[in-house]
Amino acid sequence: MPSSTLPDEGDSLETCVLKFSDLDLKESNLTNPSNSLKAELDGNIKKKYSFAKKKAFAIFVKTKQVSSPSHEFKEKWWRCCQQVFADQTSIHRHVATQHAEEVHHQTASILKQLAAALSASQSLTSADRQNPPKNYLTPSQEVSAWLPDISRFSPDELSCQGNEEGEVLLYYCYCDLEDPHWICAWQTALCQQLHLTGKIRIATEGINGTVGGSKVATRLYVEVMLSCPLFKDYLCEDDFKSSKGGAQCFPELRVGVFEEIVPMGISPSKVSYKNPGIHLSPGEFHKEIEKLLSQTNQEQGDTIILDCRNFYESKIGRFQGCLAPDIRKFSYFPSYVDKNLDIFRQKRVLMYCTGGIRCERGSAYLRAKGVCKEVFQLKGGIHKYLEEFPDGFYKGKLFVFDERFALAYNSCVVSECSYCGAPWDQYKLCSTLQCRQLVLTCSACQGQGFTACCVTCQDKGGKLASGPTQDSFKEECECTARRPRIPQEQHA
């Protein structure tokens, strides 16, 4: 596919590679580039370690830059960890103390790309450089070759300027990928070219993404993905779920390489996406729930509807009659299954999640336990079900992981204000900046000053406002203290 953004011929190979290194990686098992990775690189690359680290730090800081709260001033501002920084010194200190791992990981990624590109470059002879073989492409050229031609579109069409509404895409594709770092560089370049924001996780087991932008940009993105040889045999247009939104739904673009494309906390080599449950279309899933809900005594039946999402997702919307685990992260799901295994013994399990991705490996884990009669999963997740059955058996809103928080397909409100108990399903972040909890507090209670997730945070917020300290980053509140990490369900 031709590109309108090929690097200039005078650009060095190093420059070309670093153009596509704007990554924001967050991974727990990081390789510290200051020891093992740095030692493996040859002397020439070692000299560039300091430069790569500075570039990684600068990239991370740049991703946190936001518009000034007051349009009267043009100074730079930064937002990170629910805090606003008005000067470079404070944001630099914050990143250095709170995000060292992310910067280390990004440094490692830059160095790996640079090392691979230089190695490939050195393998060419002078003659090869003048007339490279048709089937040979350096990593930077390969990336450019798979960027679309955008010359027929104006910048306004791509960046969603004007009155036209944009959209958000949600998709995933499980397939074996040999070089996730190359795909990471390509996806970064592609999204930057199309002015897309969002989050994309890449691993040897596939890709998982949610991106927002103009409709022109998102349609181009889908076309590129469907035509890419790596994905065209696995992805189809129906695999992309769309909703109203745009680039403003995400604060930035994050593209990274991880071990898993959805963090279940178990290596894909131990629990593979290749052994999932039986996929049911939205129509088939609807009929199964209809049959279950028509039974007089559902508790004595042999079928369980299992919500694979986190508690704050199922709190504002869920299928009728479901079992919704009170867990905070999907990485707790395997432990939840282990602790409550008897509930699933000799049962038919109907699993569902937002878009289907968590069910792929969640169902594989449950099947591996060998206790269920059958394990099914909703193909396309709640997203696809609500497209067909907006007034079906799913009641309430659909939680989404972006700044919209939720999508409404029906008028049902299944949650309540955490202070007065009035029907309410509009999440806000806890007003205590160091807390990351979502809170349901109605307009009336907000007017009375109840804007935190709990009384502890409400009190803490007042104290921190008078003088925040460095240790205040740790989240400690009633919400986390009173919730068991892995709940034990009651069963007959």
Side-chain angles (χ1 to χ4, degrees):
M1 187 177 293
S3 168
S4 60
T5 57
L6 287 170
D8 295 334
E9 291 182 5
D11 284 354
S12 67
L13 183 59
E14 175 184 336
T15 304
C16 293
V17 173
L18 293 179
K19 278 183 179 178
F20 307 114
S21 60
D22 293 7
L23 313 178
D24 182 4
L25 306 179
K26 294 186 177 179
E27 186 64 279
S28 54
N29 54 339
L30 301 176
T31 302
N32 188 334
S34 63
N35 43 59
S36 59
L37 175 64
K38 191 177 176 185
E40 289 173 7
L41 301 175
D42 61 37
N44 187 41
I45 301 297
K46 280 185 180 180
K47 294 177 183 178
K48 301 186 183 299
Y49 170 69
S50 177
F51 168 76
K53 186 174 181 181
K54 289 177 182 177
K55 179 177 176 63
F57 189 91
I59 288 170
F60 190 90
V61 170
K62 188 176 180 180
T63 63
K64 303 303 177 183
Q65 191 171 328
V66 295
S67 301
S68 169
S70 171
H71 295 293
E72 297 176 7
F73 302 99
K74 295 185 178 180
E75 289 91 346
K76 293 180 180 178
W77 291 69
W78 297 265
R79 185 174 181 85
C80 189
C81 297
Q82 308 303 320
Q83 298 181 86
V84 175
F85 301 89
D87 60 272
Q88 279 193 330
T89 302
S90 59
I91 182 62
H92 284 182
R93 184 183 299 114
H94 172 77
V95 172
T97 57
Q98 302 299 320
H99 298 284
E101 287 187 342
E102 289 98 317
V103 173
H104 284 163
H105 198 164
Q106 194 162 338
T107 303
S109 184
I110 291 173
L111 286 171
K112 283 178 180 177
Q113 291 180 49
L114 181 58
L118 290 176
S119 174
S121 176
Q122 290 166 2
S123 69
L124 293 174
T125 63
S126 298
D128 289 331
R129 290 178 189 275
Q130 295 298 322
N131 300 293
K134 289 184 180 179
N135 60 351
Y136 180 86
L137 289 171
T138 65
S140 60
Q141 289 172 323
E142 288 185 37
V143 166
S144 300
W146 284 101
L147 296 181
D149 180 4
I150 60 172
S151 59
R152 65 188 187 278
F153 301 107
S154 69
D156 285 354
E157 287 178 297
L158 289 174
S159 57
C160 204
Q161 299 294 323
N163 297 323
E164 187 181 353
E165 190 173 38
E167 69 178 348
V168 171
L169 295 176
L170 176 69
Y171 75 95
Y172 69 90
C173 178
Y174 274 107
C175 61
D176 294 339
L177 299 176
E178 291 183 4
D179 191 352
H181 287 281
W182 179 89
I183 296 167
C184 183
W186 167 54
Q187 283 290 311
T188 303
L190 174 61
C191 291
Q192 288 176 341
Q193 183 196 38
L194 298 178
H195 302 279
L196 298 175
T197 58
K199 296 170 283 189
I200 300 174
R201 292 177 67 100
I202 302 156
T204 54
E205 65 172 356
I207 184 170
N208 173 23
T210 174
V211 294
S214 70
K215 288 185 177 179
V216 169
T218 53
R219 290 304 98 195
L220 274 172
Y221 183 85
V222 171
E223 287 177 18
V224 173
M225 292 297 291
L226 293 178
S227 63
C228 176
L230 296 172
F231 303 114
K232 67 179 183 180
D233 293 334
Y234 303 96
L235 275 175
C236 66
E237 192 159 357
D238 199 48
D239 291 322
F240 292 85
K241 302 95 181 172
S242 64
S243 55
K244 293 179 181 178
Q248 73 279 3
C249 295
F250 304 91
E252 60 201 8
L253 171 66
R254 293 181 180 177
V255 187
V257 176
F258 301 84
E259 185 180 22
E260 308 170 85
I261 59 173
V262 62
M264 192 170 78
I266 296 179
S267 171
S269 62
K270 294 181 180 177
V271 177
S272 173
Y273 71 87
K274 296 177 182 178
N275 302 301
I278 299 168
H279 290 74
L280 297 180
S281 68
E284 293 169 328
F285 199 84
H286 184 82
K287 287 179 182 177
E288 286 285 347
I289 296 182
E290 187 175 39
K291 184 169 62 176
L292 174 63
L293 295 179
S294 67
Q295 295 176 4
T296 308
N297 193 335
Q298 296 170 26
E299 291 184 3
Q300 293 183 358
D302 68 344
T303 302
I304 292 177
I305 306 168
L306 177 62
D307 193 323
C308 292
R309 301 173 301 158
N310 305 320
F311 77 89
Y312 51 84
E313 298 175 78
S314 58
K315 193 171 188 176
I316 62 170
R318 54 192 174 270
F319 276 102
Q320 292 174 258
C322 75
L323 171 61
D326 190 19
I327 57 175
R328 191 173 176 187
K329 300 178 181 178
F330 183 57
S331 56
Y332 296 171
F333 181 77
S335 297
Y336 172 83
V337 169
D338 293 345
K339 192 171 183 177
N340 297 280
L341 204 57
D342 284 342
I343 290 179
F344 306 107
R345 203 173 298 280
Q346 292 304 303
K347 297 287 186 179
R348 299 172 71 250
V349 180
L350 304 173
M351 300 175 69
Y352 70 89
C353 60
T354 306
I357 186 170
R358 282 177 277 189
C359 286
E360 297 287 358
R361 290 190 64 222
S363 65
Y365 186 83
L366 189 54
R367 288 188 70 230
K369 294 298 171 181
V371 299
C372 302
K373 279 185 182 178
E374 291 175 296
V375 179
F376 301 92
Q377 64 188 80
L378 174 57
K379 182 175 174 59
I382 304 165
H383 241 296
K384 285 297 180 183
Y385 178 87
L386 287 173
E387 286 179 12
E388 288 192 37
F389 303 98
D391 295 309
F393 296 116
Y394 185 91
K395 303 300 181 183
K397 288 184 175 177
L398 171 59
F399 184 91
V400 289
F401 290 92
D402 58 54
E403 297 190 359
R404 298 171 298 174
F405 289 135
L407 303 177
Y409 289 81
N410 54 66
S411 58
C412 294
V413 179
V414 300
S415 52
E416 58 188 31
C417 171
S418 56
Y419 285 95
C420 70
W424 192 258
D425 59 5
Q426 297 177 37
Y427 272 127
K428 287 187 177 296
L429 287 173
C430 176
S431 57
T432 302
L433 293 179
Q434 286 70 29
C435 181
R436 311 290 179 83
Q437 295 275 12
L438 291 167
V439 56
L440 290 171
T441 174
C442 69
S443 301
C445 289
Q446 289 178 46
Q448 297 176 48
F450 298 116
T451 54
C453 61
C454 62
V455 176
T456 301
C457 264
Q458 194 78 42
D459 293 342
K460 187 195 295 184
K463 293 174 184 175
L464 290 175
S466 58
T469 61
Q470 194 64 27
D471 348 327
S472 61
F473 286 96
K474 188 174 180 183
E475 179 189 309
E476 291 178 352
C477 64
E478 289 177 14
C479 302
T480 50
R482 67 176 178 236
R483 175 177 293 105
R485 185 176 181 273
I486 310 297
Q488 175 78 59
E489 304 288 0
Q490 298 297 318
H491 60 92

